[in-house]
Short mmCIF file of all heavy atoms in Angstrom, two decimals:
data_model
loop_
_atom_site.label_atom_id
_atom_site.label_comp_id
_atom_site.label_asym_id
_atom_site.label_seq_id
_atom_site.Cartn_x
_atom_site.Cartn_y
_atom_site.Cartn_z
N MET A 11 112.06 110.32 90.42
CA MET A 11 112.82 110.14 89.21
C MET A 11 113.01 108.64 88.98
O MET A 11 113.21 107.88 89.91
CB MET A 11 114.16 110.83 89.34
CG MET A 11 115.04 110.61 88.16
SD MET A 11 116.38 111.79 88.18
CE MET A 11 116.59 111.96 86.47
N ALA A 12 112.95 108.25 87.75
CA ALA A 12 113.07 106.85 87.37
C ALA A 12 114.53 106.49 87.14
O ALA A 12 115.35 107.32 86.77
CB ALA A 12 112.28 106.59 86.10
N SER A 13 114.83 105.21 87.39
CA SER A 13 116.15 104.70 87.07
C SER A 13 115.98 103.51 86.12
O SER A 13 114.99 102.78 86.20
CB SER A 13 116.90 104.27 88.33
OG SER A 13 116.23 103.23 88.98
N TYR A 14 116.94 103.34 85.22
CA TYR A 14 116.86 102.31 84.20
C TYR A 14 118.03 101.35 84.35
O TYR A 14 119.14 101.75 84.68
CB TYR A 14 116.89 102.94 82.80
CG TYR A 14 115.77 103.93 82.60
CD1 TYR A 14 115.95 105.28 82.87
CD2 TYR A 14 114.52 103.51 82.18
CE1 TYR A 14 114.91 106.18 82.71
CE2 TYR A 14 113.48 104.40 82.01
CZ TYR A 14 113.69 105.74 82.29
OH TYR A 14 112.66 106.63 82.13
N GLU A 15 117.77 100.08 84.07
CA GLU A 15 118.79 99.05 84.20
C GLU A 15 118.63 98.06 83.05
O GLU A 15 117.54 97.56 82.80
CB GLU A 15 118.57 98.35 85.54
CG GLU A 15 119.44 97.17 85.81
CD GLU A 15 119.07 96.53 87.14
OE1 GLU A 15 118.85 97.24 88.12
OE2 GLU A 15 118.96 95.29 87.16
N LYS A 16 119.70 97.81 82.35
CA LYS A 16 119.68 96.86 81.25
C LYS A 16 119.75 95.46 81.82
O LYS A 16 120.60 95.16 82.65
CB LYS A 16 120.87 97.13 80.33
CG LYS A 16 120.81 96.41 79.02
CD LYS A 16 119.79 97.01 78.12
CE LYS A 16 119.88 96.37 76.75
NZ LYS A 16 118.77 96.68 75.91
N ARG A 17 118.83 94.58 81.41
CA ARG A 17 118.78 93.19 81.86
C ARG A 17 118.72 92.30 80.63
O ARG A 17 117.65 92.05 80.10
CB ARG A 17 117.57 92.95 82.74
CG ARG A 17 117.63 93.73 84.01
CD ARG A 17 116.56 93.27 84.93
NE ARG A 17 117.14 93.22 86.25
CZ ARG A 17 116.65 92.56 87.26
NH1 ARG A 17 115.57 91.85 87.11
NH2 ARG A 17 117.24 92.58 88.43
N GLY A 18 119.87 91.89 80.18
CA GLY A 18 119.93 91.11 78.94
C GLY A 18 119.51 92.00 77.78
O GLY A 18 120.10 93.04 77.55
N LYS A 19 118.46 91.62 77.08
CA LYS A 19 117.96 92.43 75.96
C LYS A 19 116.82 93.33 76.39
O LYS A 19 116.27 94.07 75.59
CB LYS A 19 117.49 91.52 74.83
CG LYS A 19 118.63 90.75 74.19
CD LYS A 19 118.14 89.92 73.03
CE LYS A 19 119.29 89.19 72.38
NZ LYS A 19 118.88 88.43 71.21
N LYS A 20 116.44 93.27 77.66
CA LYS A 20 115.31 94.06 78.17
C LYS A 20 115.80 95.20 79.06
O LYS A 20 116.95 95.22 79.48
CB LYS A 20 114.36 93.16 78.93
CG LYS A 20 113.75 92.09 78.06
CD LYS A 20 112.74 91.28 78.79
CE LYS A 20 112.14 90.24 77.83
NZ LYS A 20 110.95 89.64 78.38
N THR A 21 114.89 96.12 79.35
CA THR A 21 115.20 97.25 80.21
C THR A 21 114.24 97.27 81.39
O THR A 21 113.03 97.19 81.21
CB THR A 21 115.07 98.59 79.44
OG1 THR A 21 115.97 98.56 78.33
CG2 THR A 21 115.39 99.77 80.32
N ARG A 22 114.79 97.38 82.58
CA ARG A 22 113.99 97.46 83.80
C ARG A 22 113.99 98.91 84.27
O ARG A 22 115.02 99.57 84.27
CB ARG A 22 114.60 96.59 84.89
CG ARG A 22 113.86 96.65 86.20
CD ARG A 22 114.50 95.69 87.20
NE ARG A 22 113.81 95.75 88.45
CZ ARG A 22 114.38 96.03 89.61
NH1 ARG A 22 115.67 96.28 89.66
NH2 ARG A 22 113.68 96.06 90.71
N VAL A 23 112.80 99.38 84.65
CA VAL A 23 112.68 100.75 85.14
C VAL A 23 112.12 100.70 86.56
O VAL A 23 111.26 99.87 86.87
CB VAL A 23 111.78 101.61 84.22
CG1 VAL A 23 110.41 101.04 84.09
CG2 VAL A 23 111.71 103.04 84.69
N VAL A 24 112.64 101.57 87.43
CA VAL A 24 112.20 101.65 88.82
C VAL A 24 111.80 103.09 89.10
O VAL A 24 112.56 104.01 88.84
CB VAL A 24 113.31 101.22 89.80
CG1 VAL A 24 112.84 101.33 91.24
CG2 VAL A 24 113.79 99.81 89.51
N VAL A 25 110.58 103.26 89.63
CA VAL A 25 110.07 104.59 89.99
C VAL A 25 109.86 104.61 91.49
O VAL A 25 109.21 103.71 92.05
CB VAL A 25 108.75 104.91 89.26
CG1 VAL A 25 108.21 106.26 89.68
CG2 VAL A 25 108.94 104.84 87.76
N SER A 26 110.39 105.62 92.18
CA SER A 26 110.24 105.74 93.63
C SER A 26 109.07 106.63 93.97
O SER A 26 108.76 107.58 93.24
CB SER A 26 111.51 106.35 94.24
OG SER A 26 112.60 105.50 94.02
N THR A 27 108.42 106.33 95.09
CA THR A 27 107.31 107.13 95.56
C THR A 27 107.31 107.12 97.08
O THR A 27 107.87 106.23 97.70
CB THR A 27 105.97 106.60 95.02
OG1 THR A 27 104.94 107.47 95.45
CG2 THR A 27 105.68 105.21 95.50
N THR A 28 106.69 108.12 97.66
CA THR A 28 106.52 108.15 99.11
C THR A 28 105.04 108.28 99.41
O THR A 28 104.32 109.01 98.74
CB THR A 28 107.27 109.33 99.76
OG1 THR A 28 106.84 110.53 99.15
CG2 THR A 28 108.76 109.19 99.60
N GLU A 29 104.60 107.53 100.40
CA GLU A 29 103.23 107.62 100.87
C GLU A 29 103.31 107.83 102.37
O GLU A 29 103.63 106.91 103.11
CB GLU A 29 102.46 106.35 100.53
CG GLU A 29 102.20 106.20 99.05
CD GLU A 29 101.35 105.00 98.73
OE1 GLU A 29 100.75 104.42 99.65
OE2 GLU A 29 101.28 104.65 97.55
N GLY A 30 103.04 109.06 102.79
CA GLY A 30 103.23 109.39 104.20
C GLY A 30 104.72 109.36 104.48
O GLY A 30 105.49 110.07 103.86
N THR A 31 105.12 108.51 105.41
CA THR A 31 106.55 108.39 105.71
C THR A 31 107.16 107.16 105.04
O THR A 31 108.37 106.98 105.10
CB THR A 31 106.75 108.28 107.23
OG1 THR A 31 106.03 107.16 107.72
CG2 THR A 31 106.29 109.54 107.93
N ALA A 32 106.32 106.33 104.43
CA ALA A 32 106.81 105.11 103.77
C ALA A 32 107.34 105.42 102.38
O ALA A 32 106.72 106.16 101.62
CB ALA A 32 105.70 104.08 103.68
N ARG A 33 108.47 104.86 102.06
CA ARG A 33 109.07 105.03 100.75
C ARG A 33 108.98 103.70 100.02
O ARG A 33 109.40 102.67 100.54
CB ARG A 33 110.52 105.45 100.89
CG ARG A 33 111.16 105.80 99.60
CD ARG A 33 112.51 106.41 99.85
NE ARG A 33 113.10 106.74 98.59
CZ ARG A 33 114.38 106.89 98.39
NH1 ARG A 33 115.21 106.77 99.39
NH2 ARG A 33 114.84 107.18 97.20
N LYS A 34 108.40 103.71 98.84
CA LYS A 34 108.20 102.48 98.08
C LYS A 34 108.77 102.64 96.68
O LYS A 34 108.88 103.75 96.17
CB LYS A 34 106.72 102.14 98.00
CG LYS A 34 106.09 101.88 99.34
CD LYS A 34 104.63 101.52 99.21
CE LYS A 34 104.05 101.29 100.59
NZ LYS A 34 102.67 100.88 100.54
N LYS A 35 109.08 101.51 96.07
CA LYS A 35 109.56 101.50 94.69
C LYS A 35 108.68 100.57 93.87
O LYS A 35 108.29 99.51 94.32
CB LYS A 35 111.01 101.02 94.63
CG LYS A 35 111.97 101.98 95.29
CD LYS A 35 113.38 101.55 95.11
CE LYS A 35 114.29 102.57 95.75
NZ LYS A 35 115.69 102.27 95.50
N VAL A 36 108.36 101.02 92.67
CA VAL A 36 107.56 100.24 91.73
C VAL A 36 108.45 99.99 90.52
O VAL A 36 109.07 100.92 90.00
CB VAL A 36 106.28 101.01 91.33
CG1 VAL A 36 105.46 100.21 90.36
CG2 VAL A 36 105.48 101.38 92.55
N SER A 37 108.51 98.75 90.07
CA SER A 37 109.37 98.45 88.92
C SER A 37 108.63 97.59 87.90
O SER A 37 107.64 96.92 88.22
CB SER A 37 110.63 97.72 89.38
OG SER A 37 110.32 96.45 89.87
N ARG A 38 109.16 97.64 86.70
CA ARG A 38 108.60 96.85 85.62
C ARG A 38 109.68 96.68 84.55
O ARG A 38 110.56 97.53 84.40
CB ARG A 38 107.38 97.57 85.04
CG ARG A 38 106.56 96.70 84.15
CD ARG A 38 105.16 97.23 83.98
NE ARG A 38 104.57 96.52 82.86
CZ ARG A 38 103.58 96.97 82.14
NH1 ARG A 38 103.03 98.12 82.42
NH2 ARG A 38 103.11 96.27 81.14
N THR A 39 109.60 95.59 83.80
CA THR A 39 110.59 95.30 82.76
C THR A 39 109.92 95.36 81.39
O THR A 39 108.81 94.87 81.21
CB THR A 39 111.21 93.91 82.99
OG1 THR A 39 111.78 93.88 84.30
CG2 THR A 39 112.29 93.61 81.97
N PHE A 40 110.62 95.98 80.43
CA PHE A 40 110.10 96.16 79.08
C PHE A 40 111.10 95.67 78.05
O PHE A 40 112.29 95.57 78.31
CB PHE A 40 109.82 97.65 78.81
CG PHE A 40 108.73 98.21 79.68
CD1 PHE A 40 109.03 98.77 80.92
CD2 PHE A 40 107.41 98.17 79.27
CE1 PHE A 40 108.03 99.28 81.72
CE2 PHE A 40 106.41 98.67 80.06
CZ PHE A 40 106.71 99.23 81.30
N ALA A 41 110.58 95.40 76.85
CA ALA A 41 111.43 94.92 75.76
C ALA A 41 112.38 96.01 75.26
O ALA A 41 113.50 95.72 74.85
CB ALA A 41 110.58 94.41 74.61
N THR A 42 111.93 97.28 75.31
CA THR A 42 112.78 98.38 74.83
C THR A 42 112.85 99.48 75.87
O THR A 42 111.98 99.62 76.73
CB THR A 42 112.23 98.98 73.53
OG1 THR A 42 110.97 99.60 73.80
CG2 THR A 42 112.07 97.94 72.44
N LYS A 43 113.90 100.28 75.78
CA LYS A 43 114.05 101.40 76.71
C LYS A 43 112.98 102.46 76.44
O LYS A 43 112.50 103.11 77.36
CB LYS A 43 115.44 102.02 76.59
CG LYS A 43 115.68 103.08 77.65
CD LYS A 43 117.11 103.56 77.69
CE LYS A 43 117.28 104.57 78.81
NZ LYS A 43 118.65 105.04 78.91
N LYS A 44 112.57 102.62 75.20
CA LYS A 44 111.55 103.60 74.86
C LYS A 44 110.23 103.27 75.57
O LYS A 44 109.57 104.16 76.11
CB LYS A 44 111.34 103.66 73.35
CG LYS A 44 110.44 104.77 72.90
CD LYS A 44 110.43 104.90 71.39
CE LYS A 44 109.59 106.09 70.98
NZ LYS A 44 109.64 106.34 69.56
N GLU A 45 109.84 101.99 75.58
CA GLU A 45 108.62 101.58 76.29
C GLU A 45 108.77 101.85 77.78
O GLU A 45 107.83 102.30 78.44
CB GLU A 45 108.35 100.10 76.06
CG GLU A 45 107.94 99.73 74.67
CD GLU A 45 107.84 98.22 74.48
OE1 GLU A 45 107.91 97.47 75.47
OE2 GLU A 45 107.68 97.80 73.33
N ALA A 46 109.94 101.57 78.32
CA ALA A 46 110.21 101.80 79.74
C ALA A 46 110.10 103.28 80.08
O ALA A 46 109.52 103.66 81.10
CB ALA A 46 111.58 101.27 80.12
N GLN A 47 110.61 104.13 79.21
CA GLN A 47 110.54 105.57 79.44
C GLN A 47 109.09 106.06 79.41
O GLN A 47 108.70 106.90 80.23
CB GLN A 47 111.37 106.32 78.40
CG GLN A 47 112.85 106.14 78.61
CD GLN A 47 113.68 106.69 77.47
OE1 GLN A 47 113.26 106.70 76.31
NE2 GLN A 47 114.89 107.14 77.79
N LYS A 48 108.29 105.57 78.48
CA LYS A 48 106.88 105.96 78.41
C LYS A 48 106.16 105.59 79.70
O LYS A 48 105.40 106.37 80.26
CB LYS A 48 106.19 105.28 77.23
CG LYS A 48 106.52 105.86 75.90
CD LYS A 48 105.75 105.14 74.81
CE LYS A 48 106.07 105.67 73.44
NZ LYS A 48 105.31 104.96 72.39
N TRP A 49 106.39 104.37 80.20
CA TRP A 49 105.75 103.92 81.43
C TRP A 49 106.21 104.77 82.61
O TRP A 49 105.40 105.15 83.44
CB TRP A 49 106.07 102.45 81.67
CG TRP A 49 105.42 101.89 82.89
CD1 TRP A 49 104.13 101.46 83.02
CD2 TRP A 49 106.03 101.71 84.17
NE1 TRP A 49 103.91 101.02 84.30
CE2 TRP A 49 105.06 101.17 85.03
CE3 TRP A 49 107.31 101.97 84.68
CZ2 TRP A 49 105.33 100.87 86.36
CZ3 TRP A 49 107.56 101.66 86.00
CH2 TRP A 49 106.58 101.12 86.82
N ALA A 50 107.50 105.07 82.68
CA ALA A 50 108.03 105.87 83.78
C ALA A 50 107.42 107.26 83.80
O ALA A 50 107.05 107.78 84.86
CB ALA A 50 109.55 105.95 83.69
N VAL A 51 107.29 107.88 82.63
CA VAL A 51 106.68 109.21 82.55
C VAL A 51 105.24 109.15 83.03
O VAL A 51 104.78 110.02 83.78
CB VAL A 51 106.77 109.76 81.10
CG1 VAL A 51 105.89 110.97 80.92
CG2 VAL A 51 108.21 110.08 80.76
N LYS A 52 104.50 108.12 82.63
CA LYS A 52 103.11 107.97 83.05
C LYS A 52 103.03 107.80 84.57
O LYS A 52 102.21 108.43 85.23
CB LYS A 52 102.49 106.76 82.35
CG LYS A 52 101.05 106.51 82.74
CD LYS A 52 100.50 105.29 82.04
CE LYS A 52 99.12 104.98 82.57
NZ LYS A 52 98.64 103.67 82.12
N MET A 53 103.89 106.94 85.14
CA MET A 53 103.87 106.71 86.59
C MET A 53 104.24 107.98 87.36
O MET A 53 103.62 108.30 88.38
CB MET A 53 104.85 105.59 86.97
CG MET A 53 104.44 104.22 86.50
SD MET A 53 102.90 103.65 87.25
CE MET A 53 101.77 103.84 85.91
N GLU A 54 105.22 108.72 86.87
CA GLU A 54 105.62 109.96 87.54
C GLU A 54 104.52 111.01 87.45
O GLU A 54 104.30 111.76 88.39
CB GLU A 54 106.94 110.47 86.97
CG GLU A 54 108.10 109.57 87.37
CD GLU A 54 109.41 109.94 86.72
OE1 GLU A 54 109.41 110.69 85.73
OE2 GLU A 54 110.44 109.44 87.19
N ALA A 55 103.82 111.06 86.32
CA ALA A 55 102.71 112.01 86.18
C ALA A 55 101.59 111.66 87.15
O ALA A 55 101.02 112.54 87.79
CB ALA A 55 102.19 112.01 84.75
N GLU A 56 101.27 110.38 87.27
CA GLU A 56 100.24 109.95 88.22
C GLU A 56 100.66 110.27 89.65
O GLU A 56 99.86 110.72 90.46
CB GLU A 56 99.96 108.46 88.07
CG GLU A 56 99.21 108.12 86.81
CD GLU A 56 98.91 106.64 86.66
OE1 GLU A 56 99.23 105.86 87.58
OE2 GLU A 56 98.37 106.27 85.61
N ARG A 57 101.93 110.05 89.96
CA ARG A 57 102.43 110.37 91.30
C ARG A 57 102.29 111.87 91.58
O ARG A 57 101.84 112.26 92.64
CB ARG A 57 103.90 109.96 91.42
CG ARG A 57 104.50 110.29 92.78
CD ARG A 57 105.97 110.05 92.83
NE ARG A 57 106.63 110.93 91.89
CZ ARG A 57 107.84 110.74 91.40
NH1 ARG A 57 108.52 109.68 91.74
NH2 ARG A 57 108.37 111.60 90.56
N ASN A 58 102.61 112.69 90.60
CA ASN A 58 102.50 114.14 90.76
C ASN A 58 101.05 114.60 90.87
O ASN A 58 100.78 115.63 91.48
CB ASN A 58 103.20 114.87 89.61
CG ASN A 58 104.70 114.67 89.65
OD1 ASN A 58 105.27 114.37 90.69
ND2 ASN A 58 105.33 114.81 88.50
N ASP A 59 100.12 113.85 90.28
CA ASP A 59 98.70 114.18 90.36
C ASP A 59 98.06 113.64 91.63
O ASP A 59 96.86 113.81 91.84
CB ASP A 59 97.95 113.62 89.14
CG ASP A 59 98.30 114.36 87.87
OD1 ASP A 59 98.82 115.50 87.95
OD2 ASP A 59 98.05 113.81 86.78
N GLY A 60 98.83 112.94 92.46
CA GLY A 60 98.31 112.43 93.71
C GLY A 60 97.74 111.03 93.64
O GLY A 60 97.14 110.55 94.59
N VAL A 61 97.91 110.35 92.52
CA VAL A 61 97.42 108.98 92.37
C VAL A 61 98.47 108.04 92.98
O VAL A 61 99.65 108.18 92.74
CB VAL A 61 97.21 108.63 90.88
CG1 VAL A 61 96.81 107.18 90.72
CG2 VAL A 61 96.18 109.55 90.28
N SER A 62 98.01 107.08 93.77
CA SER A 62 98.93 106.12 94.37
C SER A 62 99.40 105.14 93.31
O SER A 62 98.60 104.47 92.67
CB SER A 62 98.23 105.35 95.49
OG SER A 62 99.08 104.34 95.98
N ILE A 63 100.72 105.05 93.12
CA ILE A 63 101.26 104.13 92.12
C ILE A 63 101.84 102.89 92.78
O ILE A 63 102.15 101.93 92.12
CB ILE A 63 102.31 104.79 91.23
CG1 ILE A 63 103.52 105.25 92.05
CG2 ILE A 63 101.72 105.92 90.44
CD1 ILE A 63 104.68 105.75 91.24
N ALA A 64 101.97 102.91 94.09
CA ALA A 64 102.49 101.75 94.82
C ALA A 64 101.37 100.74 95.02
O ALA A 64 100.20 101.06 94.91
CB ALA A 64 103.06 102.19 96.15
N GLY A 65 101.76 99.56 95.34
CA GLY A 65 100.78 98.50 95.58
C GLY A 65 99.83 98.86 96.70
O GLY A 65 100.15 99.64 97.59
N SER A 66 98.68 98.30 96.66
CA SER A 66 97.64 98.60 97.65
C SER A 66 97.34 97.36 98.47
O SER A 66 97.53 96.23 98.02
CB SER A 66 96.38 99.06 96.93
OG SER A 66 95.33 99.22 97.84
N SER A 67 96.83 97.55 99.67
CA SER A 67 96.46 96.42 100.51
C SER A 67 94.97 96.12 100.41
O SER A 67 94.45 95.32 101.16
CB SER A 67 96.83 96.71 101.96
OG SER A 67 96.13 97.85 102.41
N ILE A 68 94.28 96.75 99.45
CA ILE A 68 92.85 96.54 99.27
C ILE A 68 92.62 95.16 98.64
O ILE A 68 93.39 94.72 97.79
CB ILE A 68 92.25 97.66 98.40
CG1 ILE A 68 90.73 97.60 98.41
CG2 ILE A 68 92.78 97.61 97.00
CD1 ILE A 68 90.08 98.81 97.77
N THR A 69 91.58 94.47 99.09
CA THR A 69 91.27 93.16 98.53
C THR A 69 90.49 93.32 97.22
O THR A 69 89.97 94.39 96.91
CB THR A 69 90.42 92.33 99.50
OG1 THR A 69 89.15 92.96 99.65
CG2 THR A 69 91.10 92.17 100.84
N HIS A 70 90.41 92.24 96.48
CA HIS A 70 89.68 92.26 95.21
C HIS A 70 88.21 92.60 95.46
O HIS A 70 87.61 93.39 94.73
CB HIS A 70 89.82 90.93 94.51
CG HIS A 70 89.25 90.88 93.13
ND1 HIS A 70 88.50 91.87 92.58
CD2 HIS A 70 89.33 89.94 92.16
CE1 HIS A 70 88.12 91.55 91.37
NE2 HIS A 70 88.62 90.38 91.09
N ALA A 71 87.62 92.03 96.50
CA ALA A 71 86.22 92.28 96.82
C ALA A 71 85.99 93.76 97.17
O ALA A 71 85.01 94.37 96.73
CB ALA A 71 85.77 91.40 97.97
N GLU A 72 86.91 94.34 97.94
CA GLU A 72 86.79 95.76 98.30
C GLU A 72 86.92 96.65 97.07
O GLU A 72 86.20 97.62 96.91
CB GLU A 72 87.84 96.14 99.33
CG GLU A 72 87.64 95.50 100.68
CD GLU A 72 88.82 95.69 101.60
OE1 GLU A 72 89.96 95.87 101.11
OE2 GLU A 72 88.61 95.65 102.82
N TYR A 73 87.86 96.27 96.19
CA TYR A 73 88.03 97.03 94.95
C TYR A 73 86.77 96.96 94.11
O TYR A 73 86.31 97.97 93.57
CB TYR A 73 89.22 96.48 94.14
CG TYR A 73 89.35 97.15 92.80
CD1 TYR A 73 89.95 98.39 92.68
CD2 TYR A 73 88.85 96.55 91.64
CE1 TYR A 73 90.06 99.02 91.45
CE2 TYR A 73 88.95 97.17 90.41
CZ TYR A 73 89.56 98.40 90.32
OH TYR A 73 89.66 99.02 89.11
N TYR A 74 86.18 95.78 93.99
CA TYR A 74 84.96 95.61 93.20
C TYR A 74 83.82 96.47 93.76
O TYR A 74 83.13 97.15 93.01
CB TYR A 74 84.55 94.14 93.16
CG TYR A 74 83.24 93.92 92.43
CD1 TYR A 74 83.19 93.99 91.05
CD2 TYR A 74 82.07 93.68 93.14
CE1 TYR A 74 81.99 93.81 90.38
CE2 TYR A 74 80.87 93.49 92.48
CZ TYR A 74 80.83 93.56 91.10
OH TYR A 74 79.65 93.40 90.44
N GLU A 75 83.65 96.43 95.07
CA GLU A 75 82.60 97.24 95.70
C GLU A 75 82.81 98.73 95.41
O GLU A 75 81.87 99.45 95.09
CB GLU A 75 82.56 97.00 97.21
CG GLU A 75 82.02 95.64 97.59
CD GLU A 75 82.12 95.37 99.07
OE1 GLU A 75 82.43 96.29 99.85
OE2 GLU A 75 81.87 94.22 99.46
N GLN A 76 84.06 99.18 95.50
CA GLN A 76 84.36 100.58 95.22
C GLN A 76 84.11 100.90 93.74
O GLN A 76 83.56 101.94 93.39
CB GLN A 76 85.81 100.90 95.58
CG GLN A 76 86.17 102.35 95.42
CD GLN A 76 85.41 103.25 96.38
OE1 GLN A 76 85.22 102.90 97.54
NE2 GLN A 76 84.96 104.38 95.90
N TRP A 77 84.48 99.97 92.86
CA TRP A 77 84.27 100.18 91.43
C TRP A 77 82.79 100.30 91.12
O TRP A 77 82.37 101.18 90.37
CB TRP A 77 84.89 99.02 90.64
CG TRP A 77 84.78 99.22 89.17
CD1 TRP A 77 85.66 99.86 88.36
CD2 TRP A 77 83.72 98.77 88.32
NE1 TRP A 77 85.20 99.84 87.07
CE2 TRP A 77 84.01 99.18 87.02
CE3 TRP A 77 82.54 98.07 88.54
CZ2 TRP A 77 83.19 98.91 85.94
CZ3 TRP A 77 81.72 97.80 87.47
CH2 TRP A 77 82.05 98.22 86.19
N VAL A 78 81.97 99.40 91.68
CA VAL A 78 80.53 99.43 91.45
C VAL A 78 79.96 100.76 91.95
O VAL A 78 79.16 101.41 91.26
CB VAL A 78 79.83 98.25 92.14
CG1 VAL A 78 78.32 98.43 92.15
CG2 VAL A 78 80.19 96.95 91.43
N LYS A 79 80.40 101.20 93.10
CA LYS A 79 79.93 102.46 93.67
C LYS A 79 80.28 103.65 92.77
O LYS A 79 79.49 104.54 92.55
CB LYS A 79 80.55 102.64 95.06
CG LYS A 79 80.14 103.90 95.77
CD LYS A 79 80.81 103.94 97.13
CE LYS A 79 80.73 105.33 97.71
NZ LYS A 79 81.51 105.44 98.94
N ASP A 80 81.51 103.63 92.21
CA ASP A 80 81.98 104.75 91.39
C ASP A 80 81.45 104.74 89.95
O ASP A 80 81.21 105.78 89.38
CB ASP A 80 83.51 104.76 91.34
CG ASP A 80 84.12 105.13 92.68
OD1 ASP A 80 83.40 105.69 93.54
OD2 ASP A 80 85.33 104.86 92.87
N TYR A 81 81.33 103.55 89.36
CA TYR A 81 81.07 103.48 87.91
C TYR A 81 79.74 102.91 87.50
O TYR A 81 79.36 103.03 86.34
CB TYR A 81 82.19 102.69 87.23
CG TYR A 81 83.52 103.36 87.37
CD1 TYR A 81 84.48 102.88 88.24
CD2 TYR A 81 83.83 104.50 86.64
CE1 TYR A 81 85.70 103.51 88.38
CE2 TYR A 81 85.04 105.14 86.77
CZ TYR A 81 85.97 104.63 87.64
OH TYR A 81 87.18 105.25 87.78
N LYS A 82 79.02 102.24 88.37
CA LYS A 82 77.75 101.66 87.98
C LYS A 82 76.73 102.79 87.76
O LYS A 82 76.62 103.70 88.54
CB LYS A 82 77.22 100.69 89.03
CG LYS A 82 76.00 99.95 88.54
CD LYS A 82 75.62 98.84 89.47
CE LYS A 82 74.40 98.15 88.89
NZ LYS A 82 73.99 97.02 89.68
N PHE A 83 75.96 102.68 86.71
CA PHE A 83 74.99 103.73 86.38
C PHE A 83 73.71 103.54 87.10
O PHE A 83 73.18 102.57 87.33
CB PHE A 83 74.73 103.76 84.86
CG PHE A 83 75.98 104.03 84.09
CD1 PHE A 83 76.45 103.12 83.16
CD2 PHE A 83 76.72 105.19 84.28
CE1 PHE A 83 77.59 103.37 82.44
CE2 PHE A 83 77.87 105.44 83.56
CZ PHE A 83 78.30 104.53 82.64
#
């Protein structure tokens, strides 16, 4: 579940996730609460679909190699 926090004129949203036994939080700040809610719904849907929404320890080079393997024709 997401939590919202007013920061001046902006809204910060925090989405919690668990990966194995590790519990992580992902946050982002938006100009409006509506934008924050849209992002939170998207992140929660990805979490429910099994997509990792927390930061990764993969390097840029490793990501590129994986991308080429998956998407190159």
Side-chain angles (χ1 to χ4, degrees):
M11 176 165 212
S13 63
Y14 302 92
E15 174 183 316
K16 192 73 173 168
R17 295 190 139 199
K19 294 183 178 183
K20 297 184 178 193
T21 301
R22 178 177 180 237
V23 59
V24 179
V25 178
S26 297
T27 183
T28 55
E29 291 184 13
T31 58
R33 187 171 180 202
K34 298 181 181 183
K35 293 185 178 185
V36 180
S37 67
R38 194 160 166 204
T39 303
F40 295 90
T42 65
K43 186 171 182 179
K44 188 172 184 174
E45 291 174 9
Q47 288 171 329
K48 285 181 181 180
W49 181 81
V51 167
K52 179 181 174 191
M53 291 296 105
E54 290 174 344
E56 288 180 4
R57 179 188 63 200
N58 292 337
D59 290 341
V61 176
S62 175
I63 62 172
S66 174
S67 61
I68 190 170
T69 66
H70 187 351
E72 292 170 334
Y73 174 80
Y74 176 75
E75 289 174 10
Q76 185 65 40
W77 183 88
V78 168
K79 180 180 165 187
D80 291 343
Y81 297 105
K82 188 170 181 177
F83 300 120

